Amino acid sequence: MPKSTEYAAKVADDRGFIAYDAEEDAVWRDLMAQQLPAVRDRMASPYLRGLDLLDLPQDRVPQCPEVSAKLGALTGWRVEPVPALIGFGRFFGMLADRTFPAASFIRKRKHFNYIEEPDIFHEIFGHTPLLTDPAFAAFSQAIGAAGTRCDKADYAWLIRLYWFSIEFGLMREDGQLKALGSGLASSVTELPWAISGQAEQRPFDVIDILRTPYRIDIHQPVYFVIDDLDDLFAAARRDLLADIAQARALGLHAPKYPPKTAA
């Protein structure tokens, strides 16, 4: 996440509902209208099944209690509004508690096609569909549980497994390359880029992923492709702290992207 943001958290009332104005609802409506055809064409079936189960409103920003009611019945998860920026420690702790932290604001019209920090469209449209699936929900909880046990110095290593799977993972489905990650589902421009064949594609491998650096402000130059979802779910049963220690000993791969220049 960026170190600063022009967005401010919106405060929920005592029922957990947030008052979004007409323009904010209109941004959600227009994002849905643009992304729904794209995800139907390019996203993998686990995401699409979850999207159908949630049946999100298309004309207004969904409310976290509404989404939580559906997730709770399916996998025991819930969604809780948070400020735009939260630390890794709190993030991992919430995942471990089967709670997904959702930034409460929605992007401004000027950031319609790209926003660096996560907004409510990314959180709800991008993340919650996979949380309807018990296996994906268990994987996210396992990442959170590992994060509550590891040292702060290891947070940046562990988050890469989440980044290259739940956020920006790809998978092969019936011989076709499909997008799986939430960051792709909610991105107007990165979803087509990710499956265009222009970026490097590497097989899903936990140690390789932990050693691969990334930047949040560009389209990813490297994606990891899951051929069998059992490989992803098996990662939740690994000793991830031992994996981090092994990855640290081997060292980070050289970045596939240019260094970020000062603004």
Side-chain angles (χ1 to χ4, degrees):
M1 291 180 289
K3 293 181 179 179
S4 62
T5 176
E6 66 178 85
Y7 290 95
K10 298 181 76 70
V11 179
D13 64 20
D14 56 6
R15 299 180 304 132
F17 284 73
I18 291 172
Y20 293 102
D21 62 31
E23 171 58 17
E24 290 167 326
D25 283 335
V27 169
W28 175 275
R29 180 198 66 216
D30 294 346
L31 283 167
M32 288 286 281
Q34 178 158 294
Q35 282 304 94
L36 277 174
V39 301
R40 295 289 179 198
D41 183 50
R42 298 182 172 107
M43 293 297 293
S45 59
Y47 172 88
L48 295 176
R49 284 195 299 269
L51 190 64
D52 289 340
L53 285 170
L54 290 174
D55 191 25
L56 298 171
Q58 297 188 28
D59 61 345
R60 62 171 176 84
V61 182
Q63 296 290 341
C64 288
E66 299 170 333
V67 180
S68 293
K70 294 182 178 180
L71 285 179
L74 292 164
T75 59
W77 277 68
R78 63 189 179 92
V79 184
E80 181 178 305
V82 297
L85 306 174
I86 65 171
F88 283 140
R90 183 179 178 191
F91 177 73
F92 289 133
M94 292 181 74
L95 293 188
D97 193 37
R98 291 189 295 183
T99 302
F100 191 80
S104 55
F105 67 89
I106 191 164
R107 69 194 68 181
K108 298 175 182 177
R109 186 74 61 173
K110 66 181 180 179
H111 297 142
F112 188 86
N113 286 334
Y114 175 77
I115 181 171
E116 185 173 337
E117 57 264 58
D119 70 341
I120 194 71
F121 183 74
H122 168 76
E123 312 285 41
I124 299 297
F125 184 81
H127 275 283
T128 58
L130 287 184
L131 291 174
T132 66
D133 184 293
F136 282 98
F139 176 82
S140 290
Q141 185 176 17
I143 295 287
T148 64
R149 297 192 306 269
C150 73
D151 294 333
K152 290 183 179 180
D154 291 333
Y155 286 168
W157 292 82
L158 178 60
I159 200 63
R160 294 187 190 108
L161 180 55
Y162 191 84
W163 181 266
F164 284 114
S165 58
I166 297 300
E167 287 283 7
F168 289 97
L170 303 179
M171 66 175 287
R172 294 198 194 281
E173 191 171 75
D174 299 326
Q176 290 187 306
L177 188 66
K178 295 287 186 176
L180 181 67
S182 57
L184 299 176
S186 62
S187 174
V188 174
T189 57
E190 190 158 1
L191 177 54
W193 158 260
I195 61 172
S196 68
Q198 298 179 70
E200 181 181 349
Q201 297 171 13
R202 284 155 57 178
F204 181 85
D205 179 270
V206 172
I207 300 301
D208 193 21
I209 287 172
L210 295 177
R211 299 179 62 202
T212 302
Y214 64 85
R215 273 177 56 180
I216 66 171
D217 60 333
I218 59 173
H219 289 173
Q220 300 305 301
V222 176
Y223 298 94
F224 287 85
V225 181
I226 301 164
D227 287 316
D228 186 337
L229 283 176
D230 287 341
D231 294 336
L232 174 66
F233 302 144
R237 300 187 293 273
R238 294 171 65 106
D239 183 345
L240 292 175
L241 302 192
D243 288 335
I244 291 171
Q246 182 182 348
R248 272 186 171 279
L250 293 168
L252 285 176
H253 293 307
K256 296 283 185 177
Y257 49 80
K260 188 173 183 178
T261 56

